[in-house]
Amino acid sequence: MKKKQLLEQSIFLYLYRKYKLYLPPVGLLLLCVLLFFGAILPQFRALIKAREQAAKEQKKLAILEQNLQTVTQYDNTSLNSSYETTSQALPVEKDFIGVLSAITRSANTAGVLIGDYSLAIGNLGQEPAGEMEKDSSSLQLSLVVEGSLAKVKVFIAQLQKQFPLADITSLNGTTNTFTVTILFFYRPFTAKSVDITTPIQLLSTQELHLIRQLTDQQSSLFDVPSPTLVPSPSVSVSPTPVGQ
Amino acid sequence: MKRDINLKSPRQHTAQEERTLKMLYIIAISSLVSVLVLSIVLFIITWQTRPDTLLQQEALVTQSLGGVNDKTVKLVFTKQRVSYIQQIIAQRALLNDHITQLEKQIPQDISLDAVTLNKYTLSLGLSSSSLFALQTFEANLTRAVSEKQFLRNVTFSTFSANPQDSSYQVLLTAQLL
């Protein structure tokens, strides 16, 4: 047993003496491998991440600059006018006064008499809950119209030119008395803030054309401009914190 | 026991071994230097890639946008509102157009007693003392359906005669296009 141990020791000593000069370079090479996996690779990953972040920030900056350019190039008066027109066409809340005015104006133009009417008001002071409700924010009104079918037709045509925007969904009646069901649309502000890190688009030609049409429609409706209140959106620009 | 059984001492190296050893040293040191240089280079590049300048620029632009906050919000909401208005206008029922089309189909001798009209269906109650007028009306409706003017189909549900006032009554329903 002792002999065997002595033999093993001697073999080990022999190998050590023979190869001990190789140990430092081999050790260095092992160190290099360790450094490569322990330091170089993480650094490389950090570099890729930093480049990705820089690209992201570059993109974000480009969007912000584009948004700034888009917003500043708009004429204040024109934008205010467009905003007011669209807000009157599609109010942010149930506009009872606007609805009654629209009905009265249309009835006067068509020469029909307005009888009983009923309003389906819905929830007061509550935001529409579901997405479907949000999409179909409207005030339903049923009213009795007295007049010939030809006059009722004019009444309907007039109502469709009025603000707030309306959709006449049904007509039901006999010779001179008709029940008309109308939906008056409104649209609450759904977003609580404007994300300026997403591109703000310019109003397209088509959209500008629609606004112009609405403005013409509005000016033809009101000979004397009525003091309608358009609530300013109480929404703030909340940018994503810089660097995120 | 005799320990130095090998004739050659382990401390003596051949020329070949010397060369290998030298090569190994060169490789090891150059690897170490390469790793260190690479590490420093990567560190410098990473440092230079930091988006500090971009963040500063972003902060400036964001500040400028804050100055036109009201305008930004108005622009965004106007755009949204226009989009909703376009949807509403596109989806509105055109009842007055349907009425106009319907009026064109009804001869003068026929009186319209009852109408029920919505976006999709039309129900009519008509009366006339002239069978010829009713026939003309039926022919007009048939043509309107075949030419796909505004009707998809028409169903005459009732046809009755009232001997007291010598008139005929027609009830019909139609699907609108």
Side-chain angles (χ1 to χ4, degrees), chain A:
Chain A
M1 188 71 183
K2 205 172 179 180
K3 264 187 178 177
K4 196 182 172 188
Q5 275 182 346
L6 281 171
L7 183 65
E8 280 174 357
Q9 272 182 357
S10 63
I11 291 169
F12 180 76
L13 276 173
Y14 169 76
L15 287 173
Y16 172 73
R17 281 179 192 149
K18 188 176 180 187
Y19 294 112
K20 73 174 179 185
L21 286 176
Y22 291 92
L23 286 179
V26 171
L28 266 181
L29 280 173
L30 283 175
L31 182 69
C32 288
V33 171
L34 283 176
L35 276 175
F36 183 80
F37 287 103
I40 302 290
L41 278 185
Q43 268 187 308
F44 195 68
R45 282 197 205 103
L47 175 65
I48 290 169
K49 201 175 166 185
R51 278 181 176 255
E52 279 173 359
Q53 199 191 348
K56 202 172 144 189
E57 294 302 333
Q58 186 74 52
K59 202 173 166 187
K60 196 168 146 189
L61 179 65
I63 290 170
L64 286 173
E65 281 173 342
Q66 179 66 42
N67 285 350
L68 183 63
Q69 199 187 342
T70 306
V71 172
T72 46
Q73 81 181 64
Y74 264 99
D75 172 39
N76 252 336
T77 321
S78 157
L79 185 61
N80 281 340
S81 163
S82 300
Y83 175 74
E84 281 178 27
T85 304
T86 51
S87 296
Q88 279 175 358
L90 188 63
V92 291
E93 54 197 9
K94 292 162 186 168
D95 179 12
F96 296 107
I97 296 169
V99 166
L100 295 177
S101 303
I103 291 168
T104 311
R105 275 195 300 270
S106 304
N108 286 343
T109 311
V112 293
L113 290 172
I114 302 296
D116 296 337
Y117 61 86
S118 65
L119 278 165
I121 294 171
N123 292 336
L124 282 173
Q126 276 188 331
E127 287 287 317
E131 205 54 45
M132 278 293 286
E133 258 186 284
K134 276 180 187 171
D135 284 344
S136 57
S137 302
S138 57
L139 180 69
Q140 188 179 315
L141 190 139
S142 293
L143 70 147
V144 175
V145 182
E146 288 177 19
S148 65
L149 185 63
K151 284 183 175 179
V152 171
K153 188 181 81 174
V154 176
F155 173 71
I156 290 172
Q158 282 299 316
L159 259 184
Q160 287 190 329
K161 290 178 190 167
Q162 303 287 325
F163 289 168
L165 288 175
D167 184 14
I168 293 82
T169 55
S170 76
L171 171 73
N172 182 13
T174 53
T175 321
N176 275 318
T177 308
F178 295 90
T179 303
V180 182
T181 309
I182 312 158
L183 291 177
F184 283 96
F185 294 98
Y186 67 97
R187 182 88 191 194
F189 292 123
T190 45
K192 298 291 176 200
S193 65
V194 173
D195 183 12
I196 54 166
T197 56
T198 53
I200 298 171
Q201 303 288 332
L202 285 165
L203 286 166
S204 66
T205 319
Q206 204 183 353
E207 288 169 334
L208 287 170
H209 180 67
L210 178 66
I211 291 172
R212 225 176 356 261
Q213 274 185 331
L214 290 171
T215 312
D216 292 346
Q217 207 170 308
Q218 187 188 29
S219 54
S220 70
L221 290 176
F222 306 106
D223 293 335
V224 181
S226 60
T228 43
L229 291 174
V230 179
S232 227
S234 56
V235 176
S236 61
V237 170
S238 70
T240 311
V242 170
Q244 281 192 355

Side-chain angles (χ1 to χ4, degrees), chain B residues 31-95:
Chain B
S31 298
L32 187 64
V33 170
S34 305
V35 165
L36 289 175
V37 168
L38 190 61
S39 177
I40 291 164
V41 168
L42 281 174
F43 178 76
I44 291 167
I45 296 172
T46 311
W47 182 264
Q48 283 176 343
T49 319
R50 283 192 325 153
D52 286 359
T53 325
L54 288 173
L55 293 177
Q56 280 172 5
Q57 277 177 297
E58 261 182 43
L60 278 173
V61 179
T62 308
Q63 202 180 351
S64 305
L65 273 168
V68 285
N69 180 10
D70 190 42
K71 218 172 159 185
T72 310
V73 172
K74 274 186 181 169
L75 176 60
V76 171
F77 281 113
T78 302
K79 200 159 170 65
Q80 281 180 358
R81 217 138 278 271
V82 168
S83 162
Y84 301 142
I85 289 170
Q86 280 174 328
Q87 283 173 26
I88 289 169
I89 289 173
Q91 289 170 8
R92 277 203 296 199
L94 303 166
L95 296 196

Side-chain angles (χ1 to χ4, degrees), chain B:
Chain B
M1 193 179 95
K2 187 175 173 55
R3 287 193 176 200
D4 295 332
I5 193 162
N6 291 316
L7 296 174
K8 189 181 149 192
S9 165
R11 291 187 185 183
Q12 290 174 343
H13 292 91
T14 62
Q16 175 68 29
E17 281 174 337
E18 290 284 341
R19 273 200 302 276
T20 309
L21 193 60
K22 200 175 171 185
M23 189 63 77
L24 205 56
Y25 263 102
I26 290 167
I27 291 169
I29 289 166
S30 55
S31 298
L32 187 64
V33 170
S34 305
V35 165
L36 289 175
V37 168
L38 190 61
S39 177
I40 291 164
V41 168
L42 281 174
F43 178 76
I44 291 167
I45 296 172
T46 311
W47 182 264
Q48 283 176 343
T49 319
R50 283 192 325 153
D52 286 359
T53 325
L54 288 173
L55 293 177
Q56 280 172 5
Q57 277 177 297
E58 261 182 43
L60 278 173
V61 179
T62 308
Q63 202 180 351
S64 305
L65 273 168
V68 285
N69 180 10
D70 190 42
K71 218 172 159 185
T72 310
V73 172
K74 274 186 181 169
L75 176 60
V76 171
F77 281 113
T78 302
K79 200 159 170 65
Q80 281 180 358
R81 217 138 278 271
V82 168
S83 162
Y84 301 142
I85 289 170
Q86 280 174 328
Q87 283 173 26
I88 289 169
I89 289 173
Q91 289 170 8
R92 277 203 296 199
L94 303 166
L95 296 196
N96 51 333
D97 287 355
H98 292 324
I99 295 169
T100 306
Q101 293 272 9
L102 181 67
E103 280 176 329
K104 285 181 190 167
Q105 316 302 324
I106 303 174
Q108 281 188 337
D109 295 345
I110 295 177
S111 65
L112 191 62
D113 299 330
V115 181
T116 302
L117 176 64
N118 61 40
K119 200 174 176 180
Y120 308 104
T121 57
L122 164 72
S123 300
L124 290 179
L126 305 140
S127 63
S128 175
S129 55
S130 164
L131 268 177
F132 178 73
L134 287 173
Q135 191 187 359
T136 308
F137 176 61
E138 188 267 331
N140 289 346
L141 288 187
T142 308
R143 195 177 58 249
V145 171
S146 61
E147 289 175 3
K148 293 181 179 173
Q149 286 179 12
F150 72 110
L151 297 174
R152 191 186 304 277
N153 60 53
V154 179
T155 308
F156 285 83
S157 51
T158 310
F159 183 84
S160 60
N162 186 355
Q164 287 176 343
D165 59 356
S166 308
S167 68
Y168 302 95
Q169 279 86 39
V170 173
L171 290 178
L172 64 92
T173 54
Q175 303 284 320
L176 299 168
L177 281 173

